[in-house]
Amino acid sequence: MKKVFKGPVLFGWIAILSLILVVGCSSDEEASSNGENSELMNDGKVNGELEIQYFVGGYGDSWWKEVIADFKEKYPDVTVTEHAGPNINEEMRSRWVSGDPPDVVYIDGAGSSETQMVEDGQLMNLTDWVKDVEVDGKPILESFIVDPAKYDGEIYSLPLVFDTWGTWYDEAWFESEGYKVPTDFESFMSTMGDIKEGEGIAPFVTTGQHPYYFLRGMLYPAFGAAGRDQLLEDVITGKEGAWTSEPVLEVMKKVEQMQKEGYIDKGFGALNHTQSQMNFLLHKNAFIPVGFWLPNEMEKDKPEDFKYGFIPSPMQDAGEPFAVVPDLRPLAIAEEADNPEAAKAFVDFVFTKEYATLFSEHTGAIMNINGVDLSENENVPSYLIEANAMINDPEQVQIYQKPHPMSADLETPISNALVSLMLGNITAEEFCQQAEEAAAEYRNSK
Amino acid sequence: MVQSKKQKYLFLAFCLIPTFVMFSIFTLYPLFSGLYYSFFEWSGASQDKEFIGFSNYIQLINDEIIPMTIVHDYFLVAAKVLGIMVLALFFAVALTQLKIKEAPFYRIVFFFPNIMSVVVIGILWTFIYNPSLGLINSGLQFIGLEDWARPWLGSEKWALPSLVIPSVWAGIGLFMLMLMGGIANVSKSYYEAAEIDGANEWQQFWKVTLPLVWPQIKISILYIVITTLNGSFIIVQIMTGGGPNNSTHVMGSYLYEQAFVQYNFGYGAAIGVMILILSLVTVLILQFFMRRERVEY
């Protein structure tokens, strides 16, 4: 028996005891932190600490700073703690995992997924509460440009930012060289042909490291135009037969045509988000599909004579209006928020026309509130005024709505197959087959 | 005597406890945690997790990407071992045995990439490989070889081989210094004896230098294998993100994608366990094949 505590065996015991100690300590910490959480629950008044998590990307953070400062002025008893930055979703992950999340979260940027958060039960069900919220005296549910995403009929987040993916070009360059701005797929191909011939470049670029840019920026509008909301819903939810359906194959044939004509930059597969945008600014390419964040994000790198031009991605057939599929960035309250009253007060506070106007001025993008007039606003960039006018004109643009973002489990394999198609390694038919297989796998995994 | 033995153990325990504690916190605990989570279906972003037994391991066996990532990993291992060892040995011999005046300068030059972060190296080479603005394609065009220019990192065929060059470039210096140390310890008398016996320089290298620096070569190979299997993730993540179309995914980058992009943390943990097992098996096999009696003259 004594041998068990002697010699090298003793050191083994020490190691095991240390391990138990470490595991034990971490369990204690969890318990104590949960205990603290329950004590912090307040009595329904708007006071105490309010923690807000927001991603800072292309839109910057100046709008948030202004809104939060105004909120603090209105609610002086609330102490606001901001968790913000380009990597905030990763930095705050352990807080969410340990059940100690911030109260309010703006869901955007890498490492965030609204669908996943809803599936994990991390977001508060706002369905009943939101019915009483008003924007400038009008029910909020009647004030959105695009309605909130619904999961089994329930609302877990409110769409704050109305972004949409479209196709960008340099308006000044097009004017000086006489290139026509495309209005449909036919004219898109024709303009790309002119540019290829005139400039000796592949006119179209996107990021191959994040192929979902092409999926969201080009294919979603194309699917919307080809099969309306129903087709969008079917491809996003991976419905059986959707990816091999006739309208999807027709869209993919268009992509194949772009590749075969040599209009897609052969190097796109290697480019990341910033590199593809730099290529575009340097006129190595003429068209790029990204969201409204582009001008704000690349402000410091923009050549002086460059003028941003924006059109919804021209994938629709001639005679059809442009198709726009909004990409909404929502604001939500954590299910386990320590201060739900202050969180609700903040969400209520943010959705006003005043802050919507400020949002466009600060970020060059649109907040998801209708009836905001930007046409005479000198602080809003011209491309946004034009885009806003275009988006609000149903004769020019038809808005199609996806039910919710596509799950990463489906988006990743489809994006990978898309790269192969755009590199010319597979045909449109083969792509559809691969996408259908990925959808089948996704359905089986649910 | 008994007292002094007790004191000795107490002293040893006093010295080793901090090490054990640190080892437990930073190695054993994550290791067992990874193993534990590999039996759960868990997004890694919430407290909501479900015990699913060996399902993640069954999925791992049926996953079509996994064999591809293993092949990529071992391709990088083979290319790096070959590239680094040949070049490091060549430069080590050149800088120790040839009377080059600028040897100290070259030593610094070759070692320089080792003090750079892998992230910086990845970004630097991404610029070099850039299809339209990069140094390689521009250089090829300049010397009239524009047909050879291609989207190196954007091609499913060329992306993985393209990752070898920065990996080798970044690794030469360290192993060159290790081998130089080994070569410096070889007594000059062996070379004098070999010369008297009529051995030329090439024969001296094969018969004297190589056998006597074998311990350093063996350690270097093992080190390259371990660091490649566990660490090639960074350069892949920076330069290609595993693309295009999974053509550069290694086990580590696939683990990252599953755990942190697709929110399959439990499955990611199972891939981590697989990496550990494969690394251990590889090292054991290598040690078996590289065992060799110590050469003494």
Side-chain angles (χ1 to χ4, degrees):
Chain A
M1 180 66 190
K2 274 183 181 176
K3 277 185 181 172
V4 176
F5 296 103
K6 274 188 170 179
V9 185
L10 176 69
F11 296 117
W13 280 110
I14 292 167
I16 292 164
L17 280 171
S18 310
L19 190 65
I20 292 167
L21 209 70
V22 170
V23 176
C25 284
S26 68
S27 305
D28 286 350
E29 272 170 26
E30 260 174 41
S32 104
S33 131
N34 287 341
E36 266 176 23
N37 287 348
S38 57
E39 281 169 20
L40 282 170
M41 295 294 283
N42 67 25
D43 54 2
K45 287 177 189 163
V46 181
N47 57 22
E49 192 190 0
L50 174 69
E51 286 190 276
I52 302 173
Q53 175 187 332
Y54 61 89
F55 167 76
V56 182
Y59 300 135
D61 62 359
S62 58
W63 178 79
W64 286 97
K65 297 282 177 209
E66 188 162 344
V67 170
I68 289 169
D70 289 355
F71 179 78
K72 282 198 265 194
E73 210 170 285
K74 184 173 177 187
Y75 297 99
D77 294 337
V78 178
T79 312
V80 179
T81 305
E82 296 172 51
H83 303 282
N87 297 317
I88 199 61
N89 298 319
E90 297 298 341
E91 288 163 23
M92 293 296 283
R93 190 188 289 269
S94 59
R95 291 278 306 271
W96 287 91
V97 174
S98 64
D100 180 28
D103 303 284
V104 175
V105 56
Y106 166 62
I107 306 169
D108 190 5
S112 72
S113 165
E114 180 191 351
T115 314
Q116 189 64 50
M117 290 174 104
V118 173
E119 280 174 12
D120 285 342
Q122 292 179 322
L123 303 183
M124 186 182 284
N125 189 332
L126 305 175
T127 316
D128 291 331
W129 173 72
V130 79
K131 286 174 190 158
D132 301 325
V133 179
E134 293 188 341
V135 172
D136 302 322
K138 191 175 161 191
I140 195 169
L141 290 175
E142 293 171 21
S143 304
F144 289 129
I145 301 173
V146 178
D147 295 336
K150 285 185 179 165
Y151 297 85
D152 296 327
E154 305 291 305
I155 297 171
Y156 291 89
S157 66
L158 300 183
L160 180 74
V161 180
F162 177 99
D163 198 347
T164 185
W165 298 66
T167 298
W168 296 83
Y169 62 98
D170 178 359
E171 210 174 292
W173 188 38
F174 271 46
E175 268 170 26
S176 69
E177 299 300 318
Y179 297 127
K180 283 183 189 153
V181 179
T183 51
D184 49 46
F185 186 69
E186 210 176 294
S187 61
F188 186 35
M189 292 296 281
S190 161
T191 301
M192 286 201 286
D194 292 344
I195 294 170
K196 192 183 172 199
E197 205 182 314
E199 308 294 331
I201 58 169
F204 185 87
V205 73
T206 183
T207 159
Q209 282 201 22
H210 307 288
Y212 63 80
Y213 276 48
F214 188 85
L215 181 69
R216 296 178 194 176
M218 301 294 286
L219 295 190
Y220 282 179
F223 294 150
R228 317 288 180 240
D229 288 347
Q230 188 56 53
L231 184 62
L232 264 179
E233 183 173 337
D234 292 349
V235 292
I236 284 170
T237 55
K239 191 182 172 191
E240 193 175 353
W243 283 95
T244 43
S245 65
E246 198 54 41
V248 169
L249 179 62
E250 272 177 35
V251 168
M252 301 322 295
K253 281 276 179 199
K254 288 178 178 172
V255 179
E256 190 183 80
Q257 203 185 333
M258 284 169 66
Q259 194 282 324
K260 281 188 174 160
E261 298 286 350
Y263 296 162
I264 301 173
D265 192 317
K266 284 192 178 126
F268 90 95
L271 303 178
N272 62 28
H273 164 90
T274 316
Q275 287 167 333
S276 61
Q277 292 177 173
M278 274 313 294
N279 263 29
F280 168 67
L281 293 184
L282 295 173
H283 288 176
K284 297 285 174 192
N285 310 99
F287 292 111
I288 188 169
V290 287
F292 276 137
W293 68 77
L294 175 74
N296 210 36
E297 188 172 77
M298 303 304 281
E299 181 58 33
K300 287 175 190 158
D301 303 297
K302 184 178 80 80
E304 215 168 278
D305 53 351
F306 195 101
K307 192 177 173 207
Y308 285 105
F310 175 90
I311 47 166
S313 293
M315 293 294 279
Q316 82 283 9
D317 293 330
E320 297 273 322
F322 279 113
V324 152
V325 179
D327 199 25
L328 304 169
R329 314 294 158 89
L331 198 59
I333 298 173
E335 170 66 15
E336 295 186 56
D338 287 335
N339 196 347
E341 295 310 320
K344 285 175 182 171
F346 182 78
V347 174
D348 194 350
F349 180 81
V350 164
F351 285 96
T352 62
K353 282 184 185 170
E354 182 195 343
Y355 288 124
T357 309
L358 264 179
F359 188 82
S360 295
E361 291 175 7
H362 277 275
T363 66
I366 301 172
M367 211 169 104
N368 186 42
I369 293 292
N370 60 31
V372 179
D373 184 15
L374 302 177
S375 59
E376 302 297 324
N377 193 325
E378 287 174 4
N379 298 321
V380 175
S382 61
Y383 72 83
L384 191 66
I385 293 171
E386 286 162 24
N388 194 38
M390 202 189 274
I391 287 164
N392 284 302
D393 179 359
E395 281 188 14
Q396 283 195 72
V397 171
Q398 181 67 46
I399 295 178
Y400 299 104
Q401 218 168 316
K402 56 182 191 278
H404 51 72
M406 190 186 276
S407 163
D409 286 340
L410 179 58
E411 193 174 62
T412 306
I414 286 176
S415 299
N416 285 330
L418 192 54
V419 173
S420 280
L421 172 69
M422 292 165 72
L423 287 172
N425 295 337
I426 58 171
T427 62
E429 285 83 359
E430 285 169 326
F431 167 82
C432 290
Q433 202 50 50
Q434 286 185 21
E436 186 63 35
E437 282 164 20
E441 206 167 302
Y442 168 67
R443 287 194 304 274
N444 294 335
S445 70
K446 282 211 294 186
Chain B
M1 183 66 186
V2 175
Q3 182 68 17
S4 86
K5 216 171 181 182
K6 203 175 170 185
Q7 279 175 338
K8 194 173 105 187
Y9 283 136
L10 268 173
F11 177 72
L12 277 174
F14 177 75
C15 294
L16 290 177
I17 281 177
T19 314
F20 275 123
V21 170
M22 290 296 152
F23 182 69
S24 305
I25 294 171
F26 296 111
T27 306
L28 289 179
Y29 180 58
L31 194 76
F32 287 114
S33 294
L35 188 65
Y36 171 75
Y37 289 127
S38 71
F39 295 110
F40 286 86
E41 186 180 344
W42 183 37
S43 69
S46 74
Q47 292 177 304
D48 188 19
K49 52 180 178 281
E50 186 192 344
F51 182 76
I52 52 166
F54 285 93
S55 294
N56 282 327
Y57 290 94
I58 294 165
Q59 188 187 340
L60 203 135
I61 293 163
N62 295 319
D63 190 332
E64 289 171 5
I65 311 286
I66 290 287
M68 208 192 281
T69 63
I70 295 173
V71 169
H72 294 166
D73 258 315
Y74 284 99
F75 172 81
L76 287 178
V77 165
K80 278 178 72 176
V81 166
L82 198 70
I84 292 176
M85 290 319 296
V86 168
L87 291 169
L89 200 57
F90 173 77
F91 290 125
V93 171
L95 294 181
T96 47
Q97 299 197 328
L98 304 179
K99 289 185 176 67
I100 301 171
K101 219 166 70 180
E102 300 83 6
F105 170 73
Y106 288 127
R107 213 160 44 203
I108 294 167
V109 168
F110 287 126
F111 191 72
F112 183 70
N114 286 88
I115 57 167
M116 287 166 77
S117 146
V118 185
V119 176
V120 175
I121 289 168
I123 292 170
L124 177 73
W125 278 88
T126 306
F127 284 121
I128 293 173
Y129 279 128
N130 187 297
S132 43
L133 309 165
L135 198 66
I136 293 183
N137 279 357
S138 306
L140 287 169
Q141 277 158 10
F142 183 72
I143 58 171
L145 293 174
E146 54 269 12
D147 288 350
W148 289 25
R150 59 202 69 227
W152 300 99
L153 297 174
S155 149
E156 290 177 24
K157 188 176 161 190
W158 289 100
L160 189 67
S162 300
L163 296 179
V164 173
I165 298 175
S167 308
V168 169
W169 176 76
I172 293 171
L174 177 70
F175 299 103
M176 183 192 77
L177 284 188
M178 278 176 73
L179 294 173
M180 282 172 79
I183 293 168
N185 281 335
V186 178
S187 168
K188 281 200 174 81
S189 60
Y190 297 142
Y191 293 105
E192 285 162 9
E195 214 172 320
I196 291 165
D197 290 342
N200 60 28
E201 284 184 348
W202 187 242
Q203 286 167 325
Q204 284 178 32
F205 170 74
W206 279 108
K207 301 289 181 187
V208 180
T209 311
L210 207 56
L212 287 172
V213 293
W214 180 248
Q216 283 83 2
I217 292 174
K218 189 178 150 183
I219 289 168
S220 302
I221 290 173
L222 285 175
Y223 188 76
I224 294 169
V225 171
I226 294 166
T227 52
T228 305
L229 289 177
N230 291 302
S232 51
F233 152 74
I234 306 172
I235 203 112
V236 168
Q237 198 63 27
I238 298 291
M239 293 184 69
T240 63
N245 191 14
N246 298 321
S247 60
T248 55
H249 258 316
V250 290
M251 292 184 284
S253 62
Y254 192 55
L255 181 160
Y256 178 84
E257 184 182 297
Q258 286 295 327
F260 300 109
V261 178
Q262 300 204 40
Y263 298 97
N264 299 323
F265 197 89
Y267 186 50
I271 299 172
V273 173
M274 181 192 76
I275 295 174
L276 177 73
I277 293 168
L278 280 177
S279 302
L280 281 175
V281 170
T282 309
V283 168
L284 287 174
I285 291 172
L286 270 175
Q287 280 196 316
F288 176 78
F289 280 109
M290 291 198 300
R291 76 190 191 285
R292 188 169 161 174
E293 278 180 29
R294 192 178 172 84
V295 177
E296 280 179 34
Y297 292 110

